[in-house]
Amino acid sequence: MRADDISELSESDVQFLLRYGVTSVLDLRSNGEVCRKPDVLAEVSGVLWKNVPFLRGEAGDMSRYAGEGAVADLGEMYLQLLEDKEKIKEIFTFIADVQEGCLLFHCAGGKDRTGVLALLLMMLAGADKQDCMTNYGQSYVNLSRKRQDFFDDYEVEMPPEAMSLMYSHPETIALCYDHVMESYGGIRPYLACCGLEEGQIEGIYSRLVN
């Protein structure tokens, strides 16, 4: 299950997720983000919670990706995430090792760090490029309800042009899809290059498609 910030879930929200079957949470936010807005589910009995900061530095630093070149620059940031093989291995090892049940993964906005992970999982499940682009493109629709609130969460002053970071142009995630296919020959060779064993990869695949 893909999500954005879950630090303000109500008790009824928590109970809904537990009934839905959520047993594990993978928090992709930075240490600073986690300290400012701790996950509610991290303290819930029976839920396994893990934090893997999937971004170099703090999220506020993403302001450098705003402006006229936001599509290309945000894509560059995504490519940097893909090449952080140690983090990819840590993330997918956790996914491979968690107990049966629904795993919820999230960051702050549910678009960038979460979007890259969603792409990789979709590719492993067999989704084609168009489906991956369509899925990512939906992110802006979900984020548009909380535009300024999203940036107000950070202690740094975000420039007005940083609002461009809210957009989820399908071409941005397509850069990542093409990178995995052209540079590694597919998702399985890519994950193997990150240090995942074939049994781990196959285990995750089976959970995704069954």
Side-chain angles (χ1 to χ4, degrees):
M1 176 185 291
R2 173 180 175 178
D4 56 11
D5 174 37
I6 60 171
S7 65
E8 298 180 1
L9 295 178
S10 66
E11 180 59 28
S12 62
D13 293 333
V14 171
Q15 292 305 315
F16 171 83
L17 290 173
L18 294 178
R19 289 194 302 272
Y20 187 84
V22 171
T23 57
S24 308
V25 175
L26 178 58
D27 186 343
L28 302 175
R29 297 177 300 161
S30 68
N31 294 326
E33 290 173 295
V34 172
C35 289
R36 285 193 297 272
K37 305 186 73 175
D39 266 6
V40 172
L41 290 177
E43 304 299 326
V44 175
S45 176
V47 174
L48 179 64
W49 180 86
K50 183 175 179 63
N51 175 225
V52 181
F54 194 29
L55 185 68
R56 295 170 183 168
E58 285 296 322
D61 293 342
M62 286 169 53
S63 59
R64 67 182 180 274
Y65 296 102
E68 292 183 0
V71 172
D73 291 342
L74 199 55
E76 178 185 341
M77 187 194 81
Y78 291 178
L79 294 179
Q80 291 174 1
L81 294 179
L82 287 176
E83 289 305 312
D84 193 345
K85 294 183 174 65
E86 289 186 6
K87 287 293 177 64
I88 294 294
K89 180 180 179 180
E90 186 176 3
I91 288 169
F92 273 82
T93 296
F94 177 75
I95 295 174
D97 290 346
V98 292
Q99 58 190 301
E100 291 298 318
C102 178
L103 183 148
L104 184 153
F105 62 98
H106 77 97
C107 54
K111 177 176 74 74
D112 301 314
R113 294 161 286 187
T114 299
V116 170
L117 178 53
L119 168 72
L120 296 176
L121 291 170
M122 289 183 68
M123 291 181 71
L124 182 57
D128 63 19
K129 182 177 180 179
Q130 186 58 55
D131 284 341
C132 292
M133 293 172 67
T134 301
N135 178 270
Y136 175 76
Q138 181 65 25
S139 301
Y140 175 73
V141 177
N142 299 331
L143 266 177
S144 61
R145 298 170 298 170
K146 49 183 292 186
R147 294 178 187 177
Q148 190 55 53
D149 291 342
F150 176 77
F151 291 114
D152 289 343
D153 287 340
Y154 300 108
E155 297 175 353
V156 297
E157 184 69 25
M158 301 293 278
E161 61 269 21
M163 293 302 290
S164 63
L165 294 174
M166 302 292 285
Y167 292 103
S168 53
H169 299 286
E171 295 82 1
T172 306
I173 207 68
L175 293 173
C176 298
Y177 184 98
D178 291 341
H179 179 71
V180 171
M181 297 301 293
E182 296 171 5
S183 298
Y184 296 91
I187 183 63
R188 285 176 179 261
Y190 165 76
L191 292 175
C193 189
C194 291
L196 275 297
E197 298 178 359
E198 180 57 34
Q200 293 175 304
I201 298 171
E202 185 61 29
I204 297 172
Y205 168 78
S206 296
R207 290 190 66 186
L208 288 171
V209 301
N210 293 328

